[in-house]
Structure formats: structure tokens, C-alpha cells
Amino acid sequence: MNEDQLLYEGKAKSVFRTSVPGELKVIFRDDITAFNGEKKDTLAGKGEYNARVSAFFFQYLEKNGIPTHFIRMEDERTMVVKELTMIPLEVIARNVAAGSIVKKFPFTEGQLIEPPVIVTDYKSDEHGDPSINDDLILALGFLSADGLRDVREMTLKINKLLKDFFAEAGIQLVDFKIEFGRSGDTIYLGDEISMDSMRLWDEKTGESLDKDVYRFGKGDVLSAYGKVVDKILQTL
Ligand code: AMP
């Protein structure tokens, strides 16, 4: 009998409480959604691809000094993680202009952003994930001044590590979204790092290898996600 208790059902992951205090289980489902759930499908194998990539990067980042919630994989789509109190922010690092930043500001698609920029959204479906700035984050008590600094430093370090890793694999890391949480006094990287939350372009062909393939009907999503998994495995 599965005694795990469902805590939270997101758009592509389900989170369960286990019998072990301080540990949760995250199941990466095969569901894929875009435009705040307006577009929705199930693609057999997608959950496993994202789980494998997330597990790989959590371990890679841990080795490089970033605290993450990753504990171990239980099966190919079930990740055991440390329970965190999540901070309701989506922290986005951008190396190349694409997506919403091109709509909102006078960047051209594909323009290099050097040094990279970090932008932050308040994670709230009810409020429509609006942009938020440091003053608002402090006023709302989401982070202290020290916490803000730590999140910024960690995000820049994660960006450099991921960008260099992908460059070796012939992939350009355009941007990505991460989320953090707290346990005690420590801020950990939580959530996931997958093709659902990054923008990745093949360096040779410019082809998208991420959720934009699904968002904009650019081709076979699973084969794009599979290419990232293969390229990661080749660099090991
Ligand atoms: P955008 O602001 O739509 O250009 O997205 C910037 C980056 O963050 C892209 O890599 C998106 O895939 C990712 N991203 C933005 N919002 C979300 C979200 N709610 N869930 C997962 N990834 C997101």
C-alpha cells in the first residue's frame, strides 16, 4: 500500500510526504503544459527525461558547492528531496534575449546579454506571476537583505556552471528559471532544473531543445528533450 500523502499537485510534478520526517518525494509526471495551463498534453517518457536531467544537475551543482534539496532517486521518475519551506519567487537568469524579455523590453531575439541579468517573478497563480523587485521582496518578508544577496550569488554561480557545462555539449543556455527554499538558516536550490524550465538552443543549428518546442509547436518535443539527455550523457 502506498502510504505517501499527496501534499501538492503542480502542472508537471506531484509532491508527497513520506514516513521519513524531513523528506519528501517528487514524482515527475508525463504531463506538459504551457501558457499557464491553457495548452496541455501527456507525453509518455517526458517525466523520466526531466527527472534524469534534474537529478544530474542537482548532483553536479552540489559537487560545485550549491546546496540543493536533492537526496536520491527512488526510481527513474521519483526523486527523494529534503523538505523545504519554499520562497514564492521564480528567479530567472538570462544570457540571451528570448521569450518575455523580448516582448517587454527593446531586446532583439538572440541578442547576447553580457553580463547576464537576473529577473524575479512573484510565484502566484492568483496574481499572475508578476515581476517583483528587491524592495518588494524585502517589504513582503520573502527574503532578508542577506538572503537576497545569497540568492543572487547562488543564481549567478549556477548560471556559470550550467552555461559552461552546456557549452561543452554544444548547447547554448539561453535562460532558465529556478526556485529556492529554506531549511533552518540555509537556503537551498529546490524545484527542478529541466527542459521545462530552461531555454536551450543547439549551437550549430539554433534549434530549440526545450519547452518552446511544445509552446510554439516547433516539432517533436520528446525527441528534442531526448537530444538534451543524450548530449549530457556524451559529456560524462
Ligand atoms: P520567459 O519569462 O517566459 O521568457 O521565461 C524565461 C525562462 O524561464 C524560460 O527558460 C522559461 O522556460 C522559464 N520559465 C518561466 N516561467 C516558468 C514557469 N512558470 N515554469 C517553468 N519555467 C518557467
Side-chain angles (χ1 to χ4, degrees), residues 125-144:
D125 284 342
E126 187 195 338
H127 295 90
D129 296 344
S131 295
I132 191 167
N133 67 15
D134 289 358
D135 281 357
L136 285 164
I137 292 170
L138 289 171
L140 289 161
F142 293 156
L143 286 168
S144 63

Side-chain angles (χ1 to χ4, degrees), residues 11 36 90-94 98-104 119 121 123 129 174-179 191-192 194-200 210-212 215:
K11 295 189 184 86
N36 226 346
E90 298 194 334
V91 182
I92 298 164
R94 298 181 181 272
S100 67
I101 203 173
V102 174
K103 292 208 188 86
K104 290 186 198 160
V119 294
D121 293 341
K123 187 180 163 89
D129 296 344
V174 173
D175 57 36
F176 61 94
K177 183 266 318 180
I178 46 181
E179 294 176 27
D191 194 47
E192 68 180 297
S194 75
M195 290 71 82
D196 279 8
S197 58
M198 295 185 274
R199 231 177 228 119
L200 302 169
D210 57 65
K211 200 157 92 171
D212 275 355
R215 286 190 187 99

